[in-house]
Amino acid sequence: MENVSMSVSNIAGNKMRTFLTTLGIIIGVGAIIALMTVVQGATDTMNAQFDAMGLGTLRISVTGTDIKRGLTDANLEQLLACDHVAGISPSLNATVTARRGDAWSDRIMVSGNNDEYFRHNADLLARGRAINALDVSSQSRVCLVDGGAARTLFFGEDPMGQTLYLGGFEYTVVGTINEDEDSSLFSQILLGGNTDGTVYVPYTSAKKMAGTSTVDTVEVYVTDPDDTDAAVEEMEAVLDAIFNYKEDTYTIINMESMTEAMNLMTSMMMSLLVGIASIALVVGGIGIMNMMLVTVTERTTEIGLRKALGAEPGQIQMQFLIEAIILSLLGGVIGVLVGVTISYVICVNTDITFSLNTFAIGLGVSFSAAVGIIFGWAPARKASNLNPIDALRSM
């Protein structure tokens, strides 16, 4: 307790030097906690979106051949006929010019979907009705608008029941999209974020708008998540026959596999970031060592007097080691507060789920304590080995 009291007194007596010495520890610990918390929050958010979209969902992306670019309606029926397929949702995305009165935008995303898509994504619908099977079969010019498109084309007005022009075709708004769901991270990845909003139309109408008779993206809903592998095998057999067994004509993406791959990449990224942030801790440790060496030099007389009065080398060593550890832990505690604050601000402003990462906090504090012990050992050892006669001679 006496050593702790003396260490605290010495640290408090040199406030500016203490702050500058612990700054490296503060930055290192703060960076580790902020990076790990933000990366983990982003991973959890993305995984939640993938799980919401995709447990038991497959996504077919078609590149096709020079002769056959995509999938026709007949091909879609072949996929739907697979034993382990419960439903399919062809999609067609394009950026078009939209106009409504004097308001217009050339960055409106049109997403062509069918009734099956809205059946499996019921939370998307905020008001009105979704696209139904009759809309798809009759190529109805009806649409649903999200919050961005509503603000761009119907600012200050209720879009329900009103008309707008998409790529020169007139459409009637029959529903609105839940903005929270539509602005999800997964939707941003699929549809792109650099738009003025998204308008959902029947995929058959989207094909007519785009001047094509095929689609190149299909979401497939499996009868049971446990049957995913069997469904993939069935669809591969169908798609191989459709494209005459040409290689690299399609890709089947399993959402669960994407989640596993993402978790692996995130783990590697987090390890890399923590390694980079740890460099600041090493720099902070060097600063602590430098300060302690200066302190030993400044307090040579005190050390000599204590040894002359009977203090053992181990007691002298413990005094300076405790001082180094207190310095390091002080920087670690402040670093924890800084890191948590920074990560909270980042998460709040980027719609990332914030959760207190206790592992990151424990890691940061442990690192700071280890730095204090490792880099404080040499100065403490030097102090304990001072000859009391030589020390007292410097008075």
Side-chain angles (χ1 to χ4, degrees):
M1 291 303 296
E2 184 180 353
N3 282 335
V4 172
S5 177
M6 292 176 65
S7 298
V8 171
S9 177
N10 185 57
I11 291 171
N14 299 277
K15 294 183 177 62
M16 180 55 69
R17 188 166 68 179
T18 298
F19 170 72
L20 293 176
T21 302
T22 57
L23 189 58
I25 302 294
I26 293 171
I27 294 173
V29 172
I32 287 176
I33 291 175
L35 289 172
M36 291 186 69
T37 302
V38 171
V39 171
Q40 187 61 53
T43 303
D44 292 343
T45 300
M46 295 177 73
N47 285 343
Q49 298 299 333
F50 279 124
D51 290 342
M53 285 292 293
L55 191 61
T57 301
L58 301 170
R59 188 175 182 84
I60 301 174
S61 180
V62 175
T63 53
T65 64
D66 293 336
I67 299 175
K68 186 175 180 60
R69 294 289 184 182
L71 299 172
T72 63
D73 289 342
N75 299 147
L76 296 177
E77 290 296 331
Q78 290 177 269
L79 291 173
L80 185 58
C82 293
D83 292 337
H84 295 94
V85 173
I88 61 172
S89 173
S91 63
L92 186 66
N93 300 320
T95 302
V96 303
T97 298
R99 181 176 61 84
R100 184 261 173 181
D102 295 331
W104 71 280
S105 171
D106 58 357
R107 299 192 308 167
I108 292 293
M109 176 70 73
V110 168
S111 178
N113 303 100
N114 66 354
D115 54 303
E116 196 73 31
Y117 176 79
F118 285 94
R119 191 174 298 117
H120 283 82
N121 297 275
D123 292 338
L124 273 177
L125 185 64
R127 287 194 305 149
R129 69 172 180 86
I131 293 170
N132 57 40
L134 184 60
D135 294 329
V136 175
S137 62
S138 61
Q139 301 181 19
S140 299
R141 292 182 184 174
V142 295
C143 66
L144 295 89
V145 295
D146 71 350
R151 285 188 293 272
T152 301
L153 302 173
F154 301 96
F155 186 76
E157 299 181 44
D158 185 357
M160 288 292 296
Q162 301 204 48
T163 59
L164 70 156
Y165 287 87
L166 298 172
F169 295 92
E170 184 180 30
Y171 282 79
T172 302
V173 179
V174 296
T176 60
I177 295 298
N178 187 329
E179 193 165 0
D180 291 336
E181 295 293 329
D182 182 63
S183 62
S184 67
L185 185 58
F186 190 79
S187 297
Q188 295 298 320
I189 292 173
L190 291 182
L191 301 179
N194 189 26
T195 67
D196 287 333
T198 304
V199 178
Y200 295 77
V201 303
Y203 87 92
T204 49
S205 301
K207 287 197 299 181
K208 187 174 182 180
M209 190 187 308
T212 180
S213 60
T214 61
V215 295
D216 55 14
T217 304
V218 181
E219 282 189 2
V220 178
Y221 307 108
V222 181
T223 53
D224 190 312
D226 294 335
D227 297 332
T228 299
D229 292 338
V232 169
E233 292 180 3
E234 292 175 346
M235 288 186 295
E236 284 177 344
V238 172
L239 291 169
D240 286 340
I242 290 173
F243 293 104
N244 293 320
Y245 299 92
K246 297 286 185 181
E247 294 184 356
D248 301 324
T249 54
Y250 66 88
T251 303
I252 300 178
I253 302 171
N254 186 343
M255 297 298 180
E256 187 175 350
S257 299
M258 287 181 65
T259 302
E260 293 174 358
M262 185 187 307
N263 287 334
L264 178 61
M265 289 188 294
T266 302
S267 177
M268 294 173 62
M269 185 190 308
M270 188 176 294
S271 300
L272 179 62
L273 292 174
V274 169
I276 294 172
S278 298
I279 295 174
L281 284 174
V282 175
V283 174
I286 294 172
I288 288 177
M289 178 183 286
N290 182 58
M291 177 184 172
M292 295 306 300
L293 288 172
V294 171
T295 300
V296 170
T297 302
E298 290 177 345
R299 296 164 64 184
T300 299
T301 303
E302 175 195 333
I303 295 170
L305 186 59
R306 290 192 65 190
K307 297 190 87 173
L309 292 174
E312 298 180 358
Q315 293 173 319
I316 302 294
Q317 182 173 328
M318 182 60 67
Q319 176 189 345
F320 284 90
L321 190 59
I322 287 175
E323 189 168 326
I325 293 173
I326 291 176
L327 269 174
S328 189
L329 286 176
L330 178 63
V333 171
I334 298 174
V336 167
L337 298 176
V338 170
V340 171
T341 302
I342 291 175
S343 58
Y344 177 77
V345 171
I346 292 175
C347 290
V348 168
N349 287 280
T350 54
D351 294 328
I352 294 175
T353 303
F354 173 79
S355 59
L356 203 59
N357 194 325
T358 54
F359 174 75
I361 293 174
L363 184 64
V365 174
S366 300
F367 269 24
S368 64
V371 164
I373 295 172
I374 294 170
F375 289 93
W377 180 264
R381 186 69 177 171
K382 178 183 177 182
S384 67
N385 289 333
L386 281 177
N387 188 308
I389 296 176
D390 294 336
L392 290 173
R393 188 179 293 130
S394 65
M395 291 180 63

